[in-house]
Amino acid sequence: MTSGFRFYKPCQQLRDYIRYYWIFESNRPTETYTFPIGCPQIIFHKKSALYIPELSTKQDKLTISGQVNFSSHISATDNIEMIVAVFHSYAMSTFLMSPHLYSIIGKYLVMDWRIRN
Protein backbone atom coordinates (compact mmCIF):
# COMPACT_ATOMS: atom_id res chain seq x y z
CA MET A 1 0.00 0.00 0.00
CA THR A 2 2.87 2.43 0.59
CA SER A 3 3.66 2.70 -3.12
CA GLY A 4 0.86 5.28 -3.45
CA PHE A 5 2.23 7.60 -0.75
CA ARG A 6 4.10 10.85 -1.39
CA PHE A 7 5.43 13.01 1.46
CA TYR A 8 6.14 16.76 1.33
CA LYS A 9 7.77 19.27 3.64
CA PRO A 10 5.83 22.47 4.28
CA CYS A 11 7.19 25.80 3.15
CA GLN A 12 9.48 27.55 5.64
CA GLN A 13 6.71 29.85 6.95
CA LEU A 14 4.54 26.85 7.97
CA ARG A 15 7.18 24.54 9.47
CA ASP A 16 6.48 25.73 13.03
CA TYR A 17 2.90 24.51 12.59
CA ILE A 18 2.83 21.70 10.03
CA ARG A 19 5.20 18.73 10.36
CA TYR A 20 4.55 17.41 6.82
CA TYR A 21 1.94 16.69 4.19
CA TRP A 22 1.23 13.38 2.58
CA ILE A 23 -0.79 12.33 -0.42
CA PHE A 24 -2.14 8.86 -1.09
CA GLU A 25 -3.66 7.61 -4.31
CA SER A 26 -4.92 4.14 -5.15
CA ASN A 27 -7.14 2.85 -7.93
CA ARG A 28 -8.12 -0.38 -6.16
CA PRO A 29 -9.82 -1.42 -2.93
CA THR A 30 -7.53 -0.84 0.05
CA GLU A 31 -7.33 -2.20 3.56
CA THR A 32 -4.61 -1.66 6.16
CA TYR A 33 -3.91 -1.28 9.86
CA THR A 34 -2.79 2.13 11.15
CA PHE A 35 -0.93 3.30 14.24
CA PRO A 36 -1.39 6.63 16.06
CA ILE A 37 1.24 9.29 15.37
CA GLY A 38 0.27 11.65 18.20
CA CYS A 39 -0.43 14.62 15.94
CA PRO A 40 -3.67 16.23 14.79
CA GLN A 41 -4.38 16.09 11.06
CA ILE A 42 -6.66 17.67 8.50
CA ILE A 43 -7.69 15.09 5.92
CA PHE A 44 -9.13 15.92 2.49
CA HIS A 45 -10.69 13.13 0.39
CA LYS A 46 -11.16 13.83 -3.32
CA LYS A 47 -12.54 10.37 -4.11
CA SER A 48 -13.65 7.51 -1.85
CA ALA A 49 -13.30 8.16 1.87
CA LEU A 50 -11.86 5.72 4.38
CA TYR A 51 -14.03 3.55 6.61
CA ILE A 52 -12.90 3.12 10.25
CA PRO A 53 -14.64 0.11 11.82
CA GLU A 54 -13.43 0.92 15.35
CA LEU A 55 -15.51 4.10 15.17
CA SER A 56 -18.25 2.65 12.91
CA THR A 57 -17.84 5.64 10.64
CA LYS A 58 -16.58 6.76 7.27
CA GLN A 59 -14.45 9.89 7.02
CA ASP A 60 -16.10 12.73 5.12
CA LYS A 61 -14.60 14.89 2.34
CA LEU A 62 -13.01 17.06 5.04
CA THR A 63 -12.12 15.38 8.31
CA ILE A 64 -10.20 16.76 11.26
CA SER A 65 -8.44 14.09 13.25
CA GLY A 66 -7.52 14.81 16.83
CA GLN A 67 -4.48 13.31 18.51
CA VAL A 68 -5.74 9.78 18.02
CA ASN A 69 -4.56 7.40 20.72
CA PHE A 70 -5.63 4.08 19.20
CA SER A 71 -4.70 1.89 16.26
CA SER A 72 -7.37 1.20 13.67
CA HIS A 73 -8.20 -0.80 10.60
CA ILE A 74 -9.06 1.39 7.63
CA SER A 75 -10.49 0.43 4.29
CA ALA A 76 -11.91 1.82 1.07
CA THR A 77 -13.86 -0.09 -1.54
CA ASP A 78 -13.20 2.34 -4.38
CA ASN A 79 -10.51 4.67 -5.75
CA ILE A 80 -8.76 6.83 -3.16
CA GLU A 81 -7.18 10.24 -3.58
CA MET A 82 -6.42 12.12 -0.38
CA ILE A 83 -4.12 14.80 0.97
CA VAL A 84 -3.34 15.13 4.67
CA ALA A 85 -1.73 17.99 6.59
CA VAL A 86 -0.04 16.66 9.74
CA PHE A 87 0.29 19.38 12.39
CA HIS A 88 2.66 19.60 15.33
CA SER A 89 0.77 18.55 18.45
CA TYR A 90 0.39 22.15 19.67
CA ALA A 91 -0.29 23.96 16.40
CA MET A 92 -3.78 23.20 15.07
CA SER A 93 -5.46 25.80 17.31
CA THR A 94 -3.55 28.51 15.44
CA PHE A 95 -5.45 27.61 12.27
CA LEU A 96 -8.84 26.68 13.70
CA MET A 97 -9.02 29.51 16.27
CA SER A 98 -10.70 27.31 18.88
CA PRO A 99 -9.81 27.20 22.57
CA HIS A 100 -11.61 23.82 22.82
CA LEU A 101 -9.46 21.67 20.54
CA TYR A 102 -8.60 19.42 23.48
CA SER A 103 -12.10 17.97 23.02
CA ILE A 104 -11.08 16.22 19.77
CA ILE A 105 -8.24 14.22 21.29
CA GLY A 106 -8.84 10.62 20.28
CA LYS A 107 -11.70 11.58 17.93
CA TYR A 108 -12.48 12.54 14.37
CA LEU A 109 -14.57 15.56 13.44
CA VAL A 110 -16.52 15.50 10.20
CA MET A 111 -16.74 18.91 8.63
CA ASP A 112 -19.67 19.52 6.30
CA TRP A 113 -18.70 22.32 3.96
CA ARG A 114 -21.31 21.92 1.25
CA ILE A 115 -22.72 25.15 -0.07
CA ARG A 116 -26.13 25.83 1.41
CA ASN A 117 -28.79 27.80 -0.45
Side-chain angles (χ1 to χ4, degrees):
M1 185 171 156
T2 57
S3 63
F5 280 97
R6 294 187 311 266
F7 292 86
Y8 300 93
K9 290 182 181 181
C11 66
Q12 187 63 43
Q13 295 90 334
L14 293 177
R15 287 188 187 160
D16 287 342
Y17 309 102
I18 298 175
R19 290 181 63 193
Y20 56 90
Y21 302 96
W22 58 267
I23 294 174
F24 179 71
E25 295 180 75
S26 177
N27 58 2
R28 59 188 163 98
T30 303
E31 189 172 319
T32 193
Y33 190 64
T34 65
F35 297 92
I37 61 171
C39 295
Q41 303 175 74
I42 297 180
I43 304 164
F44 298 92
H45 292 281
K46 185 174 178 185
K47 296 182 180 176
S48 180
L50 299 174
Y51 178 72
I52 306 163
E54 289 81 1
L55 300 174
S56 299
T57 190
K58 194 172 199 178
Q59 292 179 342
D60 206 349
K61 294 282 186 189
L62 170 60
T63 301
I64 298 174
S65 170
Q67 292 172 299
V68 177
N69 56 4
F70 59 90
S71 297
S72 62
H73 297 84
I74 57 172
S75 63
T77 57
D78 208 347
N79 295 346
I80 301 170
E81 187 174 344
M82 57 192 293
I83 182 170
V84 177
V86 179
F87 288 78
H88 290 287
S89 59
Y90 56 84
M92 189 177 276
S93 62
T94 302
F95 291 88
L96 296 182
M97 308 288 185
S98 172
H100 305 291
L101 282 176
Y102 64 86
S103 64
I104 67 169
I105 292 174
K107 300 178 183 176
Y108 288 95
L109 289 179
V110 174
M111 306 300 288
D112 184 357
W113 55 318
R114 288 176 276 184
I115 297 173
R116 301 194 193 282
N117 292 328

